[in-house]
Amino acid sequence: DSGVTQTPKHLITATGQRVTLRCSPRSGDLSVYWYQQSLDQGLQFLIQYYNGEERAKGNILERFSAQQFPDLHSELNLSSLELGDSALYFCASSARGGSYNEQFFGPGTRLTVL
Amino acid sequence: QQQVKQSPQSLIVQKGGISIINCAYENTAFDYFPWYQQFPGKGPALLIAIRPDVSEKKEGRFTISFNKSAKQFSLHIMDSQPGDSATYFCAPKAAGNKLTFGGGTRVLVKP
């Protein structure tokens, strides 16, 4: 158990809908990362937050947004969902946002868009 | 343009054998070279990592070999065990703490 929790574990929704994925980092970790894992794109970095502020952006679509709250939990919002958004979404956390900080991954949220 | 190329995509090895997975990268700004292990239904977990000023690092049965000039690094799993059956990802890190994952290698260790 990495100490990172993600809810829900599974999510099934329809195209055009909006969903929110939630992540609670390990106790004391200030940095949160979101990744998408799909069969065709592999594991891709989406976005990083550090102590409430956006730190780095990866291949995140404009329809997706994230935030980190004062209690350090993070939410990833996915809107106008398309079939291709079906994937596993992982959250990871690390102590700080800088170099050589091991990222601990949560168990993921499996999103299915029908 | 694919920044990180991992090979092979899958491999089958007998118990006690050696598994070798390779990773080639293009971005010379990568400054940390980890391997992650992922079991079905779980998130990736750090297995072993190396910094670019070292050519080899060994932790138990796992060894990373790093060739900076060739922009390649590899994972060797010695004395492979059925419990090592998993998907392995190289995930070199650039500025900050952003990981770029390879395509993954599915390893099956046959008893």
Side-chain angles (χ1 to χ4, degrees):
Chain A
D1 184 2
S2 67
V4 178
T5 60
Q6 290 187 249
T7 57
K9 191 165 185 171
H10 301 279
L11 198 48
I12 301 175
T13 188
T15 55
Q17 295 298 303
R18 182 179 189 275
V19 297
T20 298
L21 314 183
R22 183 187 169 102
C23 167
S24 292
R26 292 187 322 152
S27 176
D29 282 358
L30 299 177
S31 202
V32 168
Y33 313 77
W34 286 97
Y35 292 84
Q36 179 194 59
Q37 185 173 34
S38 63
L39 281 175
D40 53 345
Q41 297 291 328
L43 251 169
Q44 286 195 101
F45 167 75
L46 296 178
I47 197 163
Q48 176 196 359
Y49 278 81
Y50 175 75
N51 204 19
E53 297 199 358
E54 183 183 304
R55 175 63 67 92
K57 238 176 182 177
N59 299 323
I60 188 165
L61 299 172
E62 284 191 14
R63 300 183 286 108
F64 296 0
S65 65
Q67 53 184 326
Q68 186 179 26
F69 295 86
D71 67 352
L72 300 177
H73 91 272
S74 178
E75 292 181 355
L76 179 67
N77 300 295
L78 315 176
S79 61
S80 302
L81 284 168
E82 302 175 359
L83 295 177
D85 297 328
S86 295
L88 260 171
Y89 291 85
F90 287 105
C91 168
S93 73
S94 68
R96 295 183 300 276
S99 296
Y100 310 129
N101 282 282
E102 179 180 350
Q103 293 183 32
F104 294 85
F105 282 75
T109 293
R110 182 173 294 279
L111 173 67
T112 302
V113 183
L114 300 175
Chain B
Q1 190 176 19
Q2 194 175 2
Q3 287 197 57
V4 180
K5 292 184 180 179
Q6 190 175 332
S7 61
Q9 285 188 310
S10 63
L11 70 94
I12 300 173
V13 62
Q14 292 294 129
K15 180 182 174 183
I18 301 173
S19 303
I20 301 175
I21 307 170
N22 300 298
C23 189
Y25 62 94
E26 297 170 4
N27 188 351
T28 54
F30 288 143
D31 61 3
Y32 186 57
F33 300 87
W35 285 92
Y36 278 77
Q37 180 188 54
Q38 185 179 27
F39 293 103
K42 304 286 186 182
L46 179 65
L47 182 65
I48 186 172
I50 197 168
R51 300 189 184 191
D53 54 346
V54 177
S55 61
E56 186 174 282
K57 182 176 180 180
K58 183 176 180 180
E59 288 183 357
R61 296 182 295 107
F62 302 94
T63 299
I64 295 182
S65 296
F66 179 71
N67 187 329
K68 189 173 183 177
S69 61
K71 291 188 285 185
Q72 293 180 350
F73 63 112
S74 61
L75 174 68
H76 296 234
I77 306 174
M78 314 299 285
D79 187 25
S80 296
Q81 299 297 310
D84 297 332
S85 296
T87 301
Y88 294 81
F89 295 92
C90 61
K93 185 193 74 64
N97 213 16
K98 175 187 168 183
L99 300 174
T100 301
F101 281 83
T105 297
R106 186 171 291 183
V107 174
L108 176 63
V109 181
K110 289 197 166 182

